[in-house]
Amino acid sequence: MPELPEVEVTRRSFADAIAGARVQGVRLGKPLRWPLGVAEQVMLGREVGAVTRRGKYLWLPLHGGGASGGGLLLHLGMSGSLAFQTRPAEPGPHDHFDLRTSQGLLRLNDPRRFGAVVWSESLEQGPAAKLLAGLGLEPFDPRFDGPHLKVGLSGRRVAIKQALLAGDIVVGAGNIYACEALFLAGIDPRAQAGRLSGPRCARLAAAVRQVLGAAVEAGGTTLRDFKDAHGVAGSFQMQAQVYGREGESCRVCQTPIRRIVQGQRSTFFCPTCQKR
DNA sequence: CAGTGGCCCTGAGCGC
DNA sequence: TGCGCTCAGGGCCACT
């Protein structure tokens, strides 16, 4: 479900509300992708700091407790969402992590359980460091531009769509936004990554930033169940040009949108507007 | 080292 | 109504 925009929208929706809260307890449901890796006792009484995001991960620093550092690294996987409630409901069958605090309950709901909540001593060490190590630049980092993309893609024989999705050059463009960015840039998703010209790399870098930025502003994409931490749905799906539109006509040239499979993921594109 | 595919799970939708 | 199949917004890891 959540790509960078959904994760960012989620972050913004509860960061202020939880900042400064004291941890009062933890509840675990079924196992997520990895074990939490810390005893509840370690977190009790700690103060929640400023929630940050790196790629599709959220970092929830937990200060104090004598031992100083530490925090929780969260990932929403394919079907995860966070809710922050001041009047907590009973946990449902897919509520697999609760952080009870003095200012409300942060709850992870994740039917497929590809998501994760992992304790780490800091972002720079422990499990967090390892998980974030291979990530590319943030799309809104000024260093992410055409030349950076060109260098990252050089020598790669995979299709540009798969190279974007890999996240080691630029993070955050998942299956929806990779398709949308390639449409916006007029690039065929099957084009060989390492063969993209400088100008096309520049166009693609701009398109990635534009699509992700627009999606954040629209509150993310709600295909079926994405909601922010206060239960608000996104609306970017309304402006999707290609994703999920197989057989429908291109909004620019009326050619039917095609769906193909790349690396076991669906790709949607306009065979007329997007060129190799 | 780049590239490929399996796998971790549950639920929805569809054809029969 | 029920069954079996396919597909779904991610990404780690083993293997070639």
Side-chain angles (χ1 to χ4, degrees):
Chain A
M1 170 208 288
E3 303 180 35
L4 182 146
E6 290 72 36
V7 176
E8 176 62 17
V9 166
T10 298
R11 184 191 72 78
R12 294 181 184 181
S13 70
F14 79 98
D16 287 350
I18 204 173
R22 295 281 173 183
V23 176
Q24 296 175 331
V26 167
R27 185 194 63 84
L28 299 175
K30 289 187 185 176
L32 294 164
R33 189 183 243 265
W34 298 294
L36 179 58
V38 70
E40 177 184 37
Q41 194 63 31
V42 174
M43 291 184 280
L44 289 181
R46 289 198 184 219
E47 183 180 331
V48 180
V51 181
T52 57
R53 180 191 54 74
R54 175 75 176 100
K56 298 171 191 169
Y57 288 90
L58 289 179
W59 173 244
L60 208 76
L62 298 177
H63 305 298
S68 70
L72 296 170
L73 191 71
L74 283 76
H75 197 288
L76 302 179
M78 286 279 265
S79 59
S81 63
L82 289 173
F84 188 70
Q85 309 164 316
T86 45
R87 297 177 50 218
E90 284 301 301
H94 302 305
D95 292 328
H96 300 304
F97 178 82
D98 283 357
L99 187 72
R100 231 175 62 239
T101 79
S102 56
Q103 292 167 200
L105 175 77
L106 184 68
R107 170 170 285 170
L108 173 69
N109 179 278
D110 187 2
R112 293 177 72 179
R113 293 193 279 131
F114 291 170
V117 182
V118 178
W119 173 264
S120 193
E121 287 306 318
S122 75
L123 279 174
E124 292 79 27
Q125 42 184 330
K130 189 181 175 214
L131 289 167
L132 303 180
L135 297 189
L137 289 180
E138 286 290 322
F140 305 116
D141 186 321
R143 291 172 295 171
F144 173 61
D145 55 10
H148 182 269
L149 186 55
K150 181 109 173 74
V151 169
L153 295 176
S154 73
R156 295 221 203 169
R157 307 176 61 85
V158 280
I160 182 60
K161 157 82 175 336
Q162 287 166 277
L164 264 189
L165 224 45
D168 54 349
I169 303 172
V170 58
V171 293
N175 210 33
I176 297 178
Y177 301 118
C179 292
E180 295 297 320
L182 285 164
F183 174 83
L184 199 60
I187 297 169
D188 189 310
R190 299 164 295 185
Q192 199 176 316
R195 297 234 167 133
L196 279 195
S197 69
R200 300 189 93 204
C201 285
R203 232 184 308 158
L204 183 52
V208 167
R209 276 194 307 269
Q210 185 181 328
V211 164
L212 294 177
V216 171
E217 283 184 35
T221 295
T222 299
L223 287 184
R224 70 149 42 114
D225 54 10
F226 169 72
K227 303 272 174 53
D228 73 12
H230 295 298
V232 180
S235 67
F236 186 80
Q237 66 278 7
M238 306 300 293
Q239 23 175 329
Q241 303 295 306
V242 289
Y243 189 84
R245 301 191 64 238
E246 180 183 17
E248 296 175 41
S249 61
C250 172
R251 301 193 202 282
V252 173
C253 76
Q254 319 309 322
T255 303
I257 300 300
R258 277 194 62 197
R259 172 185 174 273
I260 59 174
V261 174
Q262 295 179 290
Q264 296 130 252
R265 314 286 304 272
S266 286
T267 298
F268 299 87
F269 70 104
C270 171
T272 301
C273 293
Q274 300 177 248
K275 312 210 182 300
R276 295 233 200 201

